[in-house]
Amino acid sequence: ACVRRRRSSSTPRRSLLVPRRGRGQERLGDSVGPPRVASMAGLAGLAGLSRNGAPAAPAPAPAPSQQIVDLSDLIVKEKCHCLNDAPAKPFANLWVGDDRLVCESDDDEQLLMTFEFREAVRLHSVDIRAPDSDAAPRTVKLYVNKPSIDFAECEDLPATQTLVLSPEDLAAGRVCKVKMQLFSYVTLLTVFVEDNRGADVTQISAIKFNGTPLASFDMKSFKKVG
């Protein structure tokens, strides 16, 4: 039972409204553990402020997905171009989606293609398809973020990576993986077809790039690879 403490005559009486206890509630003054004191940092966080009262820094952006996807939707086609493609079988055939419509070189076996991405990507692999003939590309050099590169520079400038393609590498369902540490931030990719299997001209049916967008894109809109 509670014992009412006798008030001193010098202490004014104050009315204290205490709600009636419900079942499971402790009495006022019962021991229920140490009081919980909110820290100033916690209160500041709830108010959106830093500890010194300035606006708190925004929460960090979520880390980019590591899922490997087809990056075709990120290519800015109107900014892509090719040197030495034949007018009758141009570079634009690669965008049609029909392997029978090839991009063919004109004066010799070399092709110099430049692909620009809407946002930076981390490149995982290159998917090149070509007819099974001597016109299929053999030595392909990749250059990262080298705008306005020409044939002479490709002959002298070290490639970011050189691919030597076998007939199996050009088959449907096969991809050529790249060294991802060298392609971790790509906004522009130059593909230099240096030679083929011995024909006078080179033919390519399709070319695609697989990797990971570095920005916060909705990954559901991309086609998963593998």
Side-chain angles (χ1 to χ4, degrees):
C2 294
V3 178
R4 181 173 298 175
R5 299 175 63 180
R6 188 182 300 275
R7 292 181 179 272
S8 170
S9 58
S10 61
T11 305
R13 298 179 62 87
R14 293 183 301 173
S15 61
L16 180 63
L17 297 178
V18 180
R20 182 173 298 178
R21 291 185 298 115
R23 183 172 298 177
Q25 293 180 335
E26 289 79 9
R27 299 186 184 186
L28 209 65
D30 287 349
S31 176
V32 292
R36 301 176 64 184
V37 180
S39 67
M40 292 303 294
L43 293 174
L46 291 174
L49 302 175
S50 63
R51 187 170 295 182
N52 61 4
S65 170
Q66 299 302 310
Q67 183 175 321
I68 306 300
V69 298
D70 181 353
L71 298 172
S72 297
D73 289 342
L74 285 182
I75 295 177
V76 186
K77 295 180 182 179
E78 58 270 20
K79 293 187 177 181
C80 300
H81 59 272
C82 178
L83 299 180
N84 196 41
D85 55 330
K89 298 179 180 179
F91 176 62
N93 282 351
L94 296 181
W95 310 122
V96 176
D98 186 343
D99 288 357
R100 296 171 298 179
L101 299 177
V102 299
C103 172
E104 184 177 280
S105 62
D106 192 13
D107 293 333
D108 54 24
E109 76 279 11
Q110 294 186 338
L111 284 167
L112 185 58
M113 299 173 285
T114 300
F115 299 88
E116 185 169 333
F117 295 93
R118 187 174 297 109
E119 299 287 348
V121 301
R122 180 184 295 111
L123 193 65
H124 170 269
S125 55
V126 181
D127 181 359
I128 301 176
R129 299 181 191 179
D132 187 12
S133 69
D134 288 345
R138 180 178 178 273
T139 305
V140 175
K141 295 182 177 181
L142 306 178
Y143 300 84
V144 172
N145 303 335
K146 298 291 184 182
S148 305
I149 194 171
D150 58 24
F151 284 104
E153 290 175 300
C154 287
E155 296 287 354
D156 300 330
L157 190 67
T160 306
Q161 185 171 343
T162 299
L163 306 175
V164 179
L165 305 177
S166 66
E168 292 76 18
D169 292 328
L170 300 171
R174 293 290 297 269
V175 298
C176 300
K177 293 184 179 180
V178 301
K179 299 175 182 177
M180 293 187 68
Q181 67 271 23
L182 302 178
F183 297 84
S184 60
Y185 190 92
V186 181
T187 58
L188 188 142
L189 184 69
T190 301
V191 180
F192 173 46
V193 179
E194 186 174 42
D195 58 30
N196 56 28
R197 301 180 197 170
D200 292 334
V201 296
T202 296
Q203 292 183 337
I204 296 178
S205 303
I207 184 167
K208 293 183 179 180
F209 306 102
N210 306 313
T212 304
L214 297 183
S216 301
F217 282 92
D218 181 5
M219 299 301 292
K220 295 179 181 179
S221 63
F222 291 88
K223 182 179 178 181
K224 185 177 179 181
V225 176

